[in-house]
Every structure is written in structure tokens, then in C-alpha cells.
Amino acid sequence: METVEMNSVSLKRPRSEDDVANADEIKRQKISEKPKTGNDSGQSIETVTEQPDKSLLEDTKNEIIPNEESEEQEDEELEDSDEDGDPESFADMMKHGLTESDVGITKFVSSHKGFSGILKERYSDFVVHEIGKDGRVSHLDDFSVPVDDEVNFEDPSEETFTVLSDEDKQRLEELQLLKNKETSVAIEVVEDTKEKRTVIHQAVKSLFPGLETKTEDRDGKKYIIAYHAAGKKALANPRKHSWPKSRGSYCHFVLYKENKDTMDAINVLSKFLRVKPNIFSYMGTKDKRAITVQEIAVLRITAQRLAHLNKCLMNFKLGNFSYKNHPLKLGELQGNHFTVVLRNITGTDDQIEQAMHSLREIGFINYYGMQRFGTTAVPTYQIGRAILQNNWNEVMDLILKPRPGAEKGYLVKCREEWAKTKDPAAALKKLPVKRCVEGQLLRGLLKYGMKNIISAFGIIPRNNRLMYIHSYQSYVWNNMVSKRIEEYGLRAVPGDLTLKGATAVHIEEGDVDNYTIHDVVMPLPGFDVIYPKHKIGEAYKKMLVADNLDINNMRHKIRDYSLSGAYRKIIIRPQNVNWEVVAYDDPRIPLFTTDLDKLEGKPLPVLPTDGKFRALKMEFSLPPSTYATMAIREVLKMDTSIKNQTQLNTTWLR
């Protein structure tokens, strides 16, 4: 699925006082040591969060478990504080970034004249609703909690969340996580009644899975004693004995989130619930700089506990709770529905009509978007190519060497130390955020030594490792589809490939009239695919030969890095396409209501009929593994790369 990790797209326009004030506010919010990047896209691989291929269907961040909570908190504080830098310095550093043409994105299919507009001037200008496998669009429209026929000890009362002091919670959490040598925690019952003791029992057991409780008399006073019933096993397996048999084991809910990516959201939820992130499941990862609505499932956590989080979490809302017998699986979704506002558009009404009609009738080239390739001067596809070439010294060098362009300050120091000493321990000391790819590789080199780079690289979570080689596949595909469009245009030709079920077949000369460009697919290179029987098939071979790869032997000696290949449609025609042009004066006001606005009864601001600016509100649905930015690119006919956008951008609104 499409996920966008980018700031605004715009052509220059006069800066208002609000713009200047906002930029000054961003500067004031920076930490004392200026970061080397100005947005959240500075990480070279974690920004690649589109719906993965089948071989990637694992949770990336759930595999990364920090050694100490303090280290995790430090990482988060540094990452959060580094998000907003000086727009001008970031734009300057992004001169070293990629453009669309660098990754093969060069063609358009529409004939209208392009025009400018601002994408994501506010993150709330980009809203994503997940479409489930049943075709139903996920919406947050109900905060109520389902009621069971059975009474469940796991369902806490409202008092449960306040009966324990902060000190009690801290001691219980340390006990639960086995962080000290205590074997139990004693909580005095100040108002000794059976009801009060029951509430404390409930609070401990519901808020701290894995702990058991008992009541003891000590010196004439009543105490609730909390202890581990089964050590670490109890922490890994939420309480089974107290879950009603008639209730499904999984609580499904709709997650509404703002300006957070899905895996970060799961980590926040797991921290507040004091459970491991791997008990959550979902069908697809969603954008960070956006408002997104998607279904989540969690193992044996009650709707009541989840609903309580609505009172203590910022930028999240949970609702539409139900109990089911199954988790969710990555890739099960039908797609996503997008609601996008392009602000300060310059196109005429006629240009806009032509662009949107073309998008609805023809569609757009199904390129892999820019976030697939990272944002720094070392594209992820280059690392993927080195892996496929079995050139491990180059893999290490590409990940760790100094690079020009947008980088966080601590990464710059780490790279400089590595270039100077080639000492993993010394470079690691310069890196306060250990969960990044660079930190993981350095830890691997410390553990396995400089002569065993393969094992050191293996410490990086599997999803991240595979994203490198899939980035190379995407790079090849983008270049080949551009050649295909240039050579044969928007028609099916003999030798093209089409899918019959899950099998790709060649379109024969006498059968070509039965197919359109929307039926044509192109292969991602791998060991089990076939290639077009025309010039593009030969172009694939030439491109891989130039990269010292054998197109007929894509199996790697390390099984994980053997490319199985796949097929991808050349042209995607969005469904449910609608649009409207509206006028507005203030770029900070919303131009449509969100699910949360509707639940809270917020009215849409009254817009002027003759405002200073015009905006294009557009809606469309896309299947998984396609990029909304590529659809918007076709409408605007503008380069969507961060390098281009940051050179043009003058406003940086949150």
C-alpha cells in the first residue's frame, strides 16, 4: 500500500506573516544541537513502508527489542526532537537527494498541461481509510464497548485505573519485566474492605499481565501481594485462565491516528498496555504524515482496557470494538481509500477537469514511489544491488560511510568516526540511537567481527534487509516500465505479458485485440518469472548484465536474498474517483471533516466563495502496493522527490 513520508510540494509563492511565524516557531522547537535533517524522512530505509511483498510479511519493528527501557526512551526522544529542522538548511542538504529520473520515473500517460499545487501542507490534508478484504472501508464512528454475557475478571472498572499510585505502578512494572531482584510487591490496603481489595486485585491483574495476587495479613494490616506466577512465560502469554470461553480471543478495533506511522503506533499502545508489540496484528502499514484509519487486532486485551487509552493518548483514537477468533494478516486488505487536498493550485478549471478525467479513465503509471528508495545520497537500491552481487564489503561501506545530504547529527558523527577508525565500538559510541540500521550493523560487527559481515548484517531485522533487495527490484521495474511506455505507448502489443489467474502468459499476435494496456503486466526480476518477448525483454537482460547479475540465475547462496520475482500492472486505474475545487483564505484551516470531527460534532469551517487560494479536493481508491503519490504526480505533472519539493517549498505547516 502507499505510504508517504514527505513534506509539502509547492511552487514558490509570497510568504505570509503566518508562514514566517510558523517557520520561526519550528526553529524555536529544535534541540540545542542542530540536526542534519528537517523532516521525518531522514532514515534511509525505515521510510520504505509501502505494503510489502509476500516475502516481507513480517513486523519490522517488533523484531527490535531494546536492552533497556531507558535506551528506548532516549531513542524516541532523540528521534522526535530531530523531526523539525530548519527548512532552508534541510532544502540545501536535500540537493544531494534523488530525483524521480534517478530511479526510472520519467513518463506520463495523460496529455493535459501540468500545474502546481501543495501536497501535505498540513498532514490532515492527506487522509487514508483502509479497505478490508470484504470491500468495507474502515471508519471510526463508534466508541462504545461490547458487553459480554459472561462476567470477566479481566474487565476492569473505571476505579481500576486510579486505585494504584504511580509508585505502585512503577514497582509493579519493574516486577513484571523482571527488572529487579524483588520476588513480590506488597500494596497496603488503606481502606480495608472486601470491595477495595477486589478492585486492587483487578487493577494489578488487568494492568500487569503475568502477575498473580494474594491477600496477606502483616502486623495487623492487610496487603495485596503481587508476584510472578510463571516467570517470563507469563509475560509472553497474556492471562488465559480469566478470558471467557464464549468470547473471541482477539479484540478487533479501528485505529485512528494522526502523524504517526503504524508500527510506531503499535509500540505506543503496547507500552501503555504493558504488553509486547507482537500480540498486535494488522493488514497494512499506513502513512506517517497523514490521518489514517485502519483495523487492528490484539490478543486477549479487552475492549474496555483499549477504550481507556482514549483518555491518555495524544493523536490516537480507538473504537468500533468487536471480539473475533482470528488475528489480521498483512496483505489481506483490498486497498486504501484516499482523501487528498492539493492547496494553492494554479491550474485552470479546464486543466483540472482534463487531469482528473484522465486519472479516472486512463489512470497512472504504476511506478514505485520515491519513498521506496530512501532520501539520502546512498539510495537503498544500491545496497540491494551489492547484496545480490554478494559484495559484502560494499554493503558495509554503503551503509556506514559518510554521505552528503540530509542526515541526523549523530549519524554524521558516527559515519565520520567509522571512516577514520573502522572501529565498530568507537563508531557505536557516537550513536545514541541504537535501533537504526547503522547501529544494528555496528553491533553485529562487534559481535561477529569484521571478517563475518554476512552474520553482522543478519542482526538487522529481516524486513529491513529484504527491503534493500526489493528496492533494487523496484529500481529495475521503474526503468523497464518507462522503456516499455516509450517504445510501445498505451496499447497492448504482441510479446507483452498478462495474467491469467496467478500465471503470466505472453499476448500472441492474433490475440492482441482482446487486451488493453490495463491488462499488461511487467515482471520484477527473479528466478521464477518470464520476460516480455519483445525489446523490453532484452532491455531487462542488458540492465542486469550491466549490474553484474545473471537474469537467469537470481538464486542467492543465502536463501533470504534469492529473488522470487513477481508481476505488476503497468497502469493502475483508480476507483471511486471524485474531485471538487474549493476556495479558501487561511492555509491552516481544514477543508473537510475527519471521522473524529464527525464523532465530536465539529462543523466544517465556512469557506469563502471568492478566497485568495484555490484547492483541489480529490478522492480515489487504490489496490495494495500502489502509490498515491504517483497518482497525484500524474495530475500535477510535477516531480514528487523530496529533493525537488524542498527546493520549491516555502511553508512548513504542521
Side-chain angles (χ1 to χ4, degrees), residues 88-310:
E88 294 179 356
S89 64
F90 177 65
D92 185 62
M93 285 183 288
M94 280 312 302
K95 291 175 182 176
H96 301 280
L98 296 171
T99 63
E100 288 183 345
S101 60
D102 292 329
V103 294
I105 302 172
T106 59
K107 302 297 180 183
F108 296 96
V109 296
S110 53
S111 59
H112 72 277
K113 182 179 179 182
F115 54 92
S116 70
I118 307 173
L119 171 62
K120 292 194 177 186
E121 185 169 49
R122 308 172 80 244
Y123 68 74
S124 53
D125 286 344
F126 198 94
V127 178
V128 186
H129 287 87
E130 188 172 72
I131 306 172
K133 60 183 179 181
D134 59 357
R136 182 179 57 85
V137 179
S138 292
H139 282 281
L140 181 75
D141 53 21
D142 184 6
F143 284 140
S144 65
V145 173
V147 179
D148 283 333
D149 293 333
E150 296 185 47
V151 177
N152 176 28
F153 196 63
E154 186 78 1
D155 286 337
S157 65
E158 187 62 30
E159 189 179 359
T160 297
F161 299 101
T162 58
V163 71
L164 297 174
S165 69
D166 290 341
E167 183 182 354
D168 289 336
K169 291 177 182 178
Q170 179 68 30
R171 293 169 62 210
L172 288 165
E173 182 170 359
E174 290 175 353
L175 176 66
Q176 181 200 36
L177 298 175
L178 305 171
K179 283 194 167 186
N180 54 36
K181 296 180 180 178
E182 285 189 79
T183 57
S184 64
V185 167
I187 301 168
E188 183 180 355
V189 185
V190 179
E191 302 170 13
D192 182 21
T193 64
K194 184 177 181 181
E195 291 77 13
K196 187 71 172 180
R197 293 196 301 271
T198 298
V199 170
I200 296 176
H201 282 293
Q202 286 179 328
V204 173
K205 292 183 177 183
S206 62
L207 297 178
F208 300 92
L211 296 184
E212 294 289 351
T213 58
K214 61 183 178 181
T215 303
E216 282 187 4
D217 282 307
R218 294 183 180 180
D219 300 324
K221 296 180 180 179
K222 284 282 196 304
Y223 288 86
I224 304 298
I225 310 300
Y227 61 96
H228 265 294
K232 291 184 178 180
K233 291 183 180 178
L235 182 60
N237 300 299
R239 299 165 50 78
K240 295 182 179 179
H241 59 277
S242 63
W243 195 265
K245 294 180 180 178
S246 62
R247 174 193 286 173
S249 293
Y250 294 87
C251 184
H252 287 232
F253 62 95
V254 168
L255 172 66
Y256 170 103
K257 62 180 181 63
E258 298 184 359
N259 210 27
K260 279 278 186 184
D261 70 39
T262 300
M263 289 180 286
D264 283 341
I266 294 300
N267 287 333
V268 170
L269 295 179
S270 63
K271 184 178 292 186
F272 272 80
L273 293 168
R274 296 179 172 87
V275 296
K276 287 191 173 182
N278 60 10
I279 70 171
F280 291 86
S281 57
Y282 44 88
M283 294 183 288
T285 55
K286 298 290 181 285
D287 309 67
K288 175 177 180 176
R289 189 168 170 78
I291 292 175
T292 70
V293 183
Q294 68 184 117
E295 188 174 352
I296 306 286
V298 59
L299 176 64
R300 296 182 184 242
I301 298 292
T302 65
Q304 190 167 358
R305 283 185 66 191
L306 293 167
H308 179 74
L309 296 179
N310 286 330

Side-chain angles (χ1 to χ4, degrees), residues 111-116 346-347 351 355 633-638:
S111 59
H112 72 277
K113 182 179 179 182
F115 54 92
S116 70
T346 62
Q351 286 173 327
R633 168 188 182 268
E634 188 68 44
V635 170
L636 294 176
K637 291 196 170 176
M638 288 180 64

